[in-house]
Amino acid sequence: EKGGYDHFMLKEIYEQPDAISDTYRGRMLVNENLIRMAGIDDNIEKFLNAKRIIIVACGTSWHAGLVAEYIFEDIARIPVEVEYASEFRYRNPIINKDDVVIAISQSGETADTMAAINLAKENGAFVFGVCNVVGSSISRETHAGAYTHAGPEIGVASTKAFTTQITVLTLIALRLAKQKGVLSNSQFNEHLRELEQIPEKVKKALESNEHIEVVASKYKDAKNFLYLGRGFNFPVALEGALKLKEISYIHAEGYPAAEMKHGPIALIDSQMPVVVIATRKGHYDKVVSNIEEIKSREGKIIGIVTEGDVEVRKRADYVIEVPETLESLTPLLTTIPLQLLSYHIAVMLDKNVDQPRNLAKSVTVE
Ligand code: F6R
Protein backbone atom coordinates (compact mmCIF):
# COMPACT_ATOMS: atom_id res chain seq x y z
CA GLU A 1 0.00 0.00 0.00
CA LYS A 2 3.06 2.22 0.23
CA GLY A 3 3.33 2.00 -3.53
CA GLY A 4 6.96 0.86 -3.46
CA TYR A 5 8.10 3.58 -1.07
CA ASP A 6 9.69 2.71 2.28
CA HIS A 7 7.34 4.96 4.20
CA PHE A 8 4.00 6.66 3.75
CA MET A 9 5.67 9.98 4.39
CA LEU A 10 7.97 9.56 1.39
CA LYS A 11 5.08 8.37 -0.77
CA GLU A 12 3.05 11.40 0.25
CA ILE A 13 5.94 13.76 -0.42
CA TYR A 14 6.16 12.31 -3.94
CA GLU A 15 2.40 12.53 -4.43
CA GLN A 16 2.50 16.31 -4.18
CA PRO A 17 2.62 17.10 -7.91
CA ASP A 18 -0.59 15.11 -8.42
CA ALA A 19 -2.17 16.27 -5.17
CA ILE A 20 -1.67 19.91 -6.12
CA SER A 21 -3.13 19.46 -9.59
CA ASP A 22 -6.06 17.50 -8.12
CA THR A 23 -6.64 20.47 -5.84
CA TYR A 24 -6.91 23.03 -8.61
CA ARG A 25 -8.48 20.78 -11.26
CA GLY A 26 -11.97 21.94 -12.21
CA ARG A 27 -11.56 25.08 -10.13
CA MET A 28 -8.94 26.92 -12.11
CA LEU A 29 -9.87 27.49 -15.75
CA VAL A 30 -6.74 29.02 -17.20
CA ASN A 31 -7.95 29.62 -20.74
CA GLU A 32 -11.18 31.20 -19.56
CA ASN A 33 -9.17 33.20 -17.00
CA LEU A 34 -11.52 32.06 -14.26
CA ILE A 35 -11.59 30.47 -10.84
CA ARG A 36 -14.74 28.63 -9.91
CA MET A 37 -15.23 27.42 -6.33
CA ALA A 38 -18.78 26.76 -5.20
CA GLY A 39 -18.08 27.47 -1.51
CA ILE A 40 -16.70 30.90 -2.39
CA ASP A 41 -18.98 31.76 -5.30
CA ASP A 42 -22.10 31.06 -3.23
CA ASN A 43 -20.89 33.28 -0.40
CA ILE A 44 -18.98 35.91 -2.30
CA GLU A 45 -20.74 38.84 -0.60
CA LYS A 46 -19.68 37.58 2.83
CA PHE A 47 -16.06 37.56 1.73
CA LEU A 48 -16.25 40.92 -0.01
CA ASN A 49 -17.95 42.59 2.95
CA ALA A 50 -15.59 41.12 5.51
CA LYS A 51 -13.46 43.73 7.24
CA ARG A 52 -10.96 41.02 7.96
CA ILE A 53 -10.43 37.31 7.73
CA ILE A 54 -9.44 35.34 10.82
CA ILE A 55 -7.69 32.05 10.16
CA VAL A 56 -7.72 29.43 12.92
CA ALA A 57 -5.75 26.17 12.87
CA CYS A 58 -3.11 24.11 14.69
CA GLY A 59 0.35 22.81 13.82
CA THR A 60 1.19 22.49 10.15
CA SER A 61 -2.27 23.76 9.19
CA TRP A 62 -1.51 26.91 11.20
CA HIS A 63 1.67 27.31 9.14
CA ALA A 64 -0.43 27.08 5.96
CA GLY A 65 -2.60 29.80 7.49
CA LEU A 66 0.45 32.00 7.97
CA VAL A 67 1.45 31.56 4.34
CA ALA A 68 -2.12 32.44 3.42
CA GLU A 69 -1.91 35.64 5.45
CA TYR A 70 0.91 36.85 3.19
CA ILE A 71 -0.95 35.71 0.07
CA PHE A 72 -4.34 37.21 0.97
CA GLU A 73 -2.85 40.52 1.98
CA ASP A 74 -0.55 40.72 -1.03
CA ILE A 75 -2.90 39.47 -3.72
CA ALA A 76 -6.41 40.28 -2.45
CA ARG A 77 -5.60 43.20 -0.11
CA ILE A 78 -7.78 41.80 2.68
CA PRO A 79 -6.47 42.05 6.26
CA VAL A 80 -5.87 38.65 7.81
CA GLU A 81 -5.16 37.48 11.34
CA VAL A 82 -3.87 33.99 11.96
CA GLU A 83 -4.54 32.40 15.31
CA TYR A 84 -3.67 29.17 17.02
CA ALA A 85 -7.13 27.67 17.51
CA SER A 86 -6.23 26.82 21.10
CA GLU A 87 -5.28 30.42 21.93
CA PHE A 88 -8.20 31.94 20.10
CA ARG A 89 -10.83 29.88 21.85
CA TYR A 90 -9.61 30.56 25.37
CA ARG A 91 -8.88 34.25 24.94
CA ASN A 92 -12.30 35.89 24.82
CA PRO A 93 -11.55 37.09 21.29
CA ILE A 94 -13.37 39.92 19.55
CA ILE A 95 -15.49 38.38 16.81
CA ASN A 96 -17.97 40.39 14.75
CA LYS A 97 -20.85 39.41 12.52
CA ASP A 98 -19.00 40.66 9.48
CA ASP A 99 -15.87 38.62 10.19
CA VAL A 100 -15.06 35.66 8.02
CA VAL A 101 -13.31 32.85 9.85
CA ILE A 102 -11.37 30.26 7.86
CA ALA A 103 -10.61 27.04 9.74
CA ILE A 104 -7.88 24.85 8.26
CA SER A 105 -7.61 21.18 9.20
CA GLN A 106 -6.29 18.16 7.38
CA SER A 107 -8.17 15.64 9.53
CA GLY A 108 -11.20 17.83 10.13
CA GLU A 109 -11.29 16.42 13.65
CA THR A 110 -8.90 18.62 15.65
CA ALA A 111 -10.65 19.44 18.93
CA ASP A 112 -9.19 22.91 19.44
CA THR A 113 -10.01 23.95 15.89
CA MET A 114 -13.55 22.66 16.31
CA ALA A 115 -13.97 24.63 19.53
CA ALA A 116 -12.72 27.80 17.81
CA ILE A 117 -15.27 27.24 15.04
CA ASN A 118 -18.10 26.86 17.53
CA LEU A 119 -17.07 30.04 19.31
CA ALA A 120 -16.98 31.95 16.03
CA LYS A 121 -20.39 30.63 15.04
CA GLU A 122 -21.90 31.58 18.40
CA ASN A 123 -20.70 35.11 17.77
CA GLY A 124 -22.31 35.28 14.37
CA ALA A 125 -19.24 34.99 12.15
CA PHE A 126 -19.32 33.19 8.82
CA VAL A 127 -17.07 30.12 9.07
CA PHE A 128 -15.40 28.53 6.07
CA GLY A 129 -13.56 25.19 6.32
CA VAL A 130 -10.49 24.01 4.43
CA CYS A 131 -10.33 20.28 5.19
CA ASN A 132 -8.81 17.25 3.57
CA VAL A 133 -10.94 14.46 5.00
CA VAL A 134 -14.28 14.46 3.23
CA GLY A 135 -17.27 14.36 5.57
CA SER A 136 -15.10 15.10 8.63
CA SER A 137 -16.59 16.88 11.65
CA ILE A 138 -15.13 20.28 10.74
CA SER A 139 -16.29 20.00 7.14
CA ARG A 140 -19.81 19.40 8.46
CA GLU A 141 -19.82 22.08 11.14
CA THR A 142 -18.64 24.96 8.95
CA HIS A 143 -21.06 27.09 6.90
CA ALA A 144 -19.21 26.38 3.67
CA GLY A 145 -15.83 25.12 2.61
CA ALA A 146 -13.37 23.82 0.06
CA TYR A 147 -11.69 20.44 0.24
CA THR A 148 -8.00 20.08 -0.45
CA HIS A 149 -8.41 16.80 -2.40
CA ALA A 150 -4.92 15.65 -1.37
CA GLY A 151 -6.09 12.06 -0.89
CA PRO A 152 -5.55 10.16 2.37
CA GLU A 153 -2.57 11.30 4.38
CA ILE A 154 -1.32 8.40 6.51
CA GLY A 155 2.09 9.59 7.70
CA VAL A 156 1.66 11.48 10.95
CA ALA A 157 3.91 14.28 9.73
CA SER A 158 1.80 16.36 7.40
CA THR A 159 3.25 16.92 3.92
CA LYS A 160 0.86 16.95 0.98
CA ALA A 161 -1.90 18.36 3.16
CA PHE A 162 0.25 21.45 3.72
CA THR A 163 0.99 22.18 0.06
CA THR A 164 -2.61 21.53 -0.99
CA GLN A 165 -3.92 23.78 1.78
CA ILE A 166 -1.69 26.54 0.41
CA THR A 167 -3.02 25.76 -3.08
CA VAL A 168 -6.67 26.09 -2.01
CA LEU A 169 -5.98 29.28 -0.09
CA THR A 170 -4.15 30.73 -3.09
CA LEU A 171 -7.14 29.96 -5.30
CA ILE A 172 -9.43 31.71 -2.81
CA ALA A 173 -7.16 34.77 -2.64
CA LEU A 174 -7.04 34.96 -6.43
CA ARG A 175 -10.79 34.52 -6.77
CA LEU A 176 -11.40 37.39 -4.34
CA ALA A 177 -8.72 39.57 -5.89
CA LYS A 178 -10.41 39.24 -9.25
CA GLN A 179 -13.82 40.04 -7.86
CA LYS A 180 -12.46 43.08 -6.04
CA GLY A 181 -10.62 44.22 -9.13
CA VAL A 182 -7.29 44.50 -7.32
CA LEU A 183 -5.56 42.33 -9.91
CA SER A 184 -5.78 43.18 -13.60
CA ASN A 185 -6.95 40.43 -15.95
CA SER A 186 -3.41 39.89 -17.14
CA GLN A 187 -1.94 39.74 -13.62
CA PHE A 188 -4.67 37.29 -12.67
CA ASN A 189 -3.89 35.20 -15.71
CA GLU A 190 -0.18 35.24 -14.93
CA HIS A 191 -0.93 33.80 -11.49
CA LEU A 192 -3.10 31.05 -12.97
CA ARG A 193 -0.45 30.13 -15.49
CA GLU A 194 2.24 30.00 -12.83
CA LEU A 195 0.08 27.93 -10.50
CA GLU A 196 -0.61 25.53 -13.34
CA GLN A 197 3.15 24.95 -13.68
CA ILE A 198 3.70 24.25 -9.99
CA PRO A 199 3.19 20.45 -10.19
CA GLU A 200 5.96 20.19 -12.83
CA LYS A 201 8.19 22.39 -10.74
CA VAL A 202 7.55 20.30 -7.62
CA LYS A 203 8.67 17.28 -9.68
CA LYS A 204 11.83 19.17 -10.53
CA ALA A 205 12.38 20.00 -6.85
CA LEU A 206 11.96 16.31 -5.98
CA GLU A 207 14.86 15.49 -8.31
CA SER A 208 17.22 16.87 -5.66
CA ASN A 209 16.36 13.91 -3.44
CA GLU A 210 19.74 12.20 -3.67
CA HIS A 211 21.62 15.40 -3.08
CA ILE A 212 19.41 16.09 -0.06
CA GLU A 213 20.32 12.65 1.27
CA VAL A 214 23.97 13.69 1.17
CA VAL A 215 23.14 16.88 3.08
CA ALA A 216 21.15 14.84 5.60
CA SER A 217 24.05 12.46 6.21
CA LYS A 218 26.31 15.41 6.89
CA TYR A 219 24.15 16.98 9.60
CA LYS A 220 22.13 14.11 11.04
CA ASP A 221 24.07 14.15 14.31
CA ALA A 222 23.52 17.83 15.03
CA LYS A 223 21.71 18.52 18.29
CA ASN A 224 20.01 21.70 17.09
CA PHE A 225 18.94 23.24 13.80
CA LEU A 226 17.88 26.74 12.92
CA TYR A 227 15.56 27.49 9.98
CA LEU A 228 15.34 31.00 8.56
CA GLY A 229 13.10 32.56 5.94
CA ARG A 230 11.49 35.89 5.18
CA GLY A 231 8.07 36.98 3.95
CA PHE A 232 6.13 34.19 2.27
CA ASN A 233 8.91 31.82 3.30
CA PHE A 234 9.00 32.67 6.99
CA PRO A 235 6.16 30.19 7.70
CA VAL A 236 8.01 27.63 5.56
CA ALA A 237 10.95 27.98 7.97
CA LEU A 238 8.58 27.24 10.86
CA GLU A 239 7.20 24.24 9.01
CA GLY A 240 10.69 22.92 8.18
CA ALA A 241 11.65 23.09 11.84
CA LEU A 242 8.43 21.37 12.92
CA LYS A 243 8.98 18.52 10.44
CA LEU A 244 12.50 17.93 11.80
CA LYS A 245 11.37 17.99 15.44
CA GLU A 246 8.45 15.66 14.87
CA ILE A 247 10.16 12.81 13.12
CA SER A 248 13.87 13.01 14.04
CA TYR A 249 13.48 14.43 17.58
CA ILE A 250 16.21 16.97 16.87
CA HIS A 251 15.52 20.34 18.41
CA ALA A 252 14.87 22.91 15.70
CA GLU A 253 13.55 26.44 15.60
CA GLY A 254 12.21 28.52 12.76
CA TYR A 255 12.68 32.27 12.70
CA PRO A 256 12.12 35.18 10.38
CA ALA A 257 15.64 35.72 9.04
CA ALA A 258 15.80 39.34 10.20
CA GLU A 259 14.97 38.36 13.78
CA MET A 260 18.19 36.39 14.05
CA LYS A 261 20.11 39.43 15.23
CA HIS A 262 17.63 39.95 18.07
CA GLY A 263 18.64 36.81 19.93
CA PRO A 264 19.06 33.52 18.09
CA ILE A 265 22.39 34.63 16.62
CA ALA A 266 23.85 33.91 20.06
CA LEU A 267 23.27 30.21 19.40
CA ILE A 268 25.40 30.09 16.30
CA ASP A 269 28.68 28.23 16.40
CA SER A 270 30.41 25.58 14.31
CA GLN A 271 27.97 22.94 15.57
CA MET A 272 24.85 24.72 14.34
CA PRO A 273 23.39 23.93 10.91
CA VAL A 274 21.22 26.78 9.65
CA VAL A 275 18.77 26.12 6.85
CA VAL A 276 18.21 29.42 5.05
CA ILE A 277 15.46 29.87 2.50
CA ALA A 278 17.07 32.31 0.10
CA THR A 279 15.15 32.30 -3.16
CA ARG A 280 15.90 35.09 -5.58
CA LYS A 281 12.65 36.98 -5.20
CA GLY A 282 11.95 38.37 -1.77
CA HIS A 283 14.66 40.43 -0.09
CA TYR A 284 17.42 38.28 -1.50
CA ASP A 285 20.20 40.74 -0.63
CA LYS A 286 19.07 40.91 2.96
CA VAL A 287 19.08 37.14 3.26
CA VAL A 288 22.55 37.00 1.72
CA SER A 289 23.77 39.35 4.44
CA ASN A 290 22.14 37.15 7.08
CA ILE A 291 24.12 34.28 5.58
CA GLU A 292 27.34 36.32 5.94
CA GLU A 293 26.54 36.85 9.60
CA ILE A 294 26.05 33.12 10.16
CA LYS A 295 29.22 32.31 8.29
CA SER A 296 31.37 34.71 10.24
CA ARG A 297 30.29 32.82 13.38
CA GLU A 298 31.20 29.49 11.75
CA GLY A 299 27.60 28.30 11.46
CA LYS A 300 26.93 25.72 8.74
CA ILE A 301 24.70 26.95 5.95
CA ILE A 302 22.25 24.94 3.90
CA GLY A 303 20.70 27.34 1.39
CA ILE A 304 17.38 26.69 -0.34
CA VAL A 305 17.89 28.69 -3.51
CA THR A 306 16.49 29.43 -6.94
CA GLU A 307 17.96 27.47 -9.85
CA GLY A 308 21.13 29.09 -11.10
CA ASP A 309 21.80 30.93 -7.87
CA VAL A 310 25.28 32.43 -7.54
CA GLU A 311 25.55 34.52 -4.38
CA VAL A 312 24.31 31.99 -1.83
CA ARG A 313 26.24 29.18 -3.49
CA LYS A 314 29.47 31.14 -2.97
CA ARG A 315 28.87 31.31 0.75
CA ALA A 316 26.86 28.23 1.75
CA ASP A 317 28.15 24.78 2.70
CA TYR A 318 25.37 23.23 0.61
CA VAL A 319 22.69 24.61 -1.64
CA ILE A 320 19.49 22.89 -2.73
CA GLU A 321 17.84 24.38 -5.80
CA VAL A 322 14.16 24.85 -6.57
CA PRO A 323 12.73 26.22 -9.84
CA GLU A 324 11.82 29.86 -10.19
CA THR A 325 8.21 30.98 -9.81
CA LEU A 326 6.18 33.97 -8.58
CA GLU A 327 7.27 34.98 -5.11
CA SER A 328 3.84 34.23 -3.65
CA LEU A 329 4.03 30.65 -4.94
CA THR A 330 7.59 29.89 -3.73
CA PRO A 331 6.37 28.18 -0.50
CA LEU A 332 4.94 25.38 -2.66
CA LEU A 333 8.48 24.67 -3.86
CA THR A 334 10.74 25.58 -0.92
CA THR A 335 8.76 23.25 1.36
CA ILE A 336 9.75 20.19 -0.69
CA PRO A 337 13.48 20.03 0.17
CA LEU A 338 12.71 20.67 3.84
CA GLN A 339 10.33 17.70 3.92
CA LEU A 340 12.95 15.48 2.29
CA LEU A 341 15.72 16.70 4.57
CA SER A 342 13.80 15.83 7.72
CA TYR A 343 12.68 12.53 6.22
CA HIS A 344 16.23 11.40 5.43
CA ILE A 345 17.61 12.51 8.77
CA ALA A 346 14.88 10.58 10.60
CA VAL A 347 15.52 7.46 8.51
CA MET A 348 19.28 7.70 9.13
CA LEU A 349 18.64 8.02 12.86
CA ASP A 350 16.41 4.97 12.66
CA LYS A 351 13.30 6.74 13.91
CA ASN A 352 9.74 5.69 13.27
CA VAL A 353 9.03 8.11 10.45
CA ASP A 354 5.36 7.38 9.89
CA GLN A 355 4.42 7.11 13.55
CA PRO A 356 6.65 9.29 15.64
CA ARG A 357 6.53 8.84 19.40
CA ASN A 358 3.92 10.81 21.35
CA LEU A 359 2.07 11.96 18.22
CA ALA A 360 -1.28 11.00 16.71
CA LYS A 361 -2.67 11.75 13.28
CA SER A 362 -5.68 13.59 14.62
CA VAL A 363 -5.60 15.39 17.92
CA THR A 364 -9.09 15.02 19.31
CA VAL A 365 -8.08 15.96 22.87
CA GLU A 366 -8.11 19.57 24.04
C1 F6R B 1 2.39 18.25 11.77
C2 F6R B 1 1.08 17.77 12.12
C3 F6R B 1 0.27 18.49 13.15
C4 F6R B 1 -1.07 18.85 12.54
C5 F6R B 1 -2.00 19.46 13.59
C6 F6R B 1 -3.32 19.91 13.00
O1 F6R B 1 3.02 17.45 10.85
O2 F6R B 1 0.63 16.81 11.56
O3 F6R B 1 0.94 19.63 13.60
O4 F6R B 1 -0.87 19.72 11.48
O5 F6R B 1 -2.23 18.53 14.62
O6 F6R B 1 -3.99 18.84 12.43
P1 F6R B 1 -5.19 19.06 11.44
O7 F6R B 1 -4.67 19.73 10.23
O8 F6R B 1 -5.69 17.67 11.15
O9 F6R B 1 -6.20 19.89 12.15
Side-chain angles (χ1 to χ4, degrees):
E1 79 257 38
K2 290 182 198 141
Y5 292 95
D6 290 343
H7 299 94
F8 282 109
M9 182 183 180
L10 190 62
K11 172 171 178 267
E12 289 160 5
I13 290 172
Y14 273 86
E15 279 172 352
Q16 288 175 110
D18 288 340
I20 292 169
S21 54
D22 287 345
T23 298
Y24 66 58
R25 179 170 308 118
R27 291 169 164 166
M28 180 168 84
L29 309 172
V30 180
N31 292 332
E32 294 164 52
N33 209 23
L34 207 72
I35 288 173
R36 222 166 34 197
M37 299 175 85
I40 304 293
D41 299 343
D42 296 347
N43 299 288
I44 194 78
E45 291 304 321
K46 297 227 164 45
F47 281 92
L48 295 180
N49 294 333
K51 299 219 169 35
R52 59 175 182 166
I53 292 174
I54 304 170
I55 297 180
V56 294
C58 304
T60 290
S61 296
W62 182 75
H63 295 154
L66 284 180
V67 175
E69 174 178 22
Y70 284 86
I71 296 175
F72 270 88
E73 297 203 352
D74 185 53
I75 296 180
R77 306 304 293 156
I78 301 174
V80 174
E81 286 169 36
V82 189
E83 305 258 8
Y84 283 116
S86 54
E87 286 298 315
F88 180 79
R89 60 175 290 202
Y90 289 119
R91 201 191 54 229
N92 192 17
I94 299 166
I95 310 168
N96 300 309
K97 293 209 174 10
D98 50 6
D99 286 333
V100 167
V101 173
I102 299 180
I104 310 173
S105 177
Q106 187 287 129
S107 63
E109 303 296 343
T110 302
D112 283 320
T113 308
M114 183 58 105
I117 291 167
N118 289 334
L119 184 64
K121 279 167 70 181
E122 281 160 25
N123 286 278
F126 175 74
V127 186
F128 188 91
V130 175
C131 295
N132 190 45
V133 177
V134 175
S136 56
S137 305
I138 290 176
S139 70
R140 285 183 277 115
E141 284 300 315
T142 41
H143 295 115
Y147 285 115
T148 40
H149 299 308
E153 193 181 63
I154 312 282
V156 164
S158 189
T159 53
K160 62 179 180 171
F162 179 67
T163 45
T164 55
Q165 286 164 345
I166 295 173
T167 304
V168 165
L169 293 158
T170 301
L171 290 172
I172 297 173
L174 287 168
R175 170 75 181 86
L176 298 176
K178 185 162 195 221
Q179 191 82 22
K180 285 181 69 183
V182 292
L183 280 186
S184 69
N185 278 340
S186 68
Q187 286 170 321
F188 181 77
N189 200 247
E190 188 193 4
H191 279 82
L192 301 197
R193 289 192 187 286
E194 284 290 335
L195 188 54
E196 193 181 32
Q197 286 179 39
I198 288 294
E200 276 310 308
K201 292 182 180 181
V202 170
K203 275 188 201 159
K204 201 86 194 294
L206 289 166
E207 286 172 13
S208 295
N209 187 41
E210 279 176 27
H211 172 56
I212 294 170
E213 237 179 304
V214 173
V215 179
S217 68
K218 187 81 190 163
Y219 298 111
K220 68 179 188 346
D221 297 315
K223 294 283 164 275
N224 299 283
F225 266 74
L226 214 56
Y227 286 73
L228 304 176
R230 297 181 78 111
F232 296 94
N233 283 299
F234 155 53
V236 177
L238 297 181
E239 174 60 8
L242 179 62
K243 284 289 89 88
L244 190 70
K245 281 183 265 210
E246 283 183 295
I247 60 169
S248 72
Y249 318 143
I250 295 173
H251 171 245
E253 283 191 64
Y255 261 98
E259 272 293 306
M260 191 179 66
K261 57 183 172 295
H262 298 288
I265 197 166
L267 294 167
I268 293 174
D269 62 15
S270 62
Q271 303 304 304
M272 177 69 97
V274 187
V275 179
V276 188
I277 304 164
T279 44
R280 208 144 38 219
K281 289 174 190 151
H283 314 288
Y284 180 72
D285 297 343
K286 293 272 170 64
V287 179
V288 170
S289 48
N290 291 142
I291 288 173
E292 298 274 9
E293 289 157 12
I294 300 163
K295 213 175 157 53
S296 66
R297 288 159 184 86
E298 294 179 33
K300 301 293 177 278
I301 295 149
I302 304 160
I304 310 299
V305 300
T306 311
E307 270 171 5
D309 178 272
V310 177
E311 294 305 318
V312 177
R313 186 178 290 273
K314 273 191 222 157
R315 297 166 172 89
D317 295 271
Y318 290 92
V319 295
I320 304 168
E321 291 189 335
V322 296
E324 176 131 41
T325 186
L326 292 177
E327 190 189 351
S328 60
L329 299 179
T330 51
L332 293 169
L333 303 179
T334 52
T335 298
I336 307 297
L338 304 191
Q339 294 170 342
L340 287 170
L341 182 66
S342 56
Y343 171 78
H344 288 301
I345 290 177
V347 169
M348 286 169 193
L349 297 178
D350 212 15
K351 305 299 183 206
N352 188 342
V353 172
D354 283 336
Q355 285 186 299
R357 67 184 186 201
N358 309 343
L359 293 174
K361 187 65 188 159
S362 47
V363 183
T364 51
V365 292
E366 310 197 343

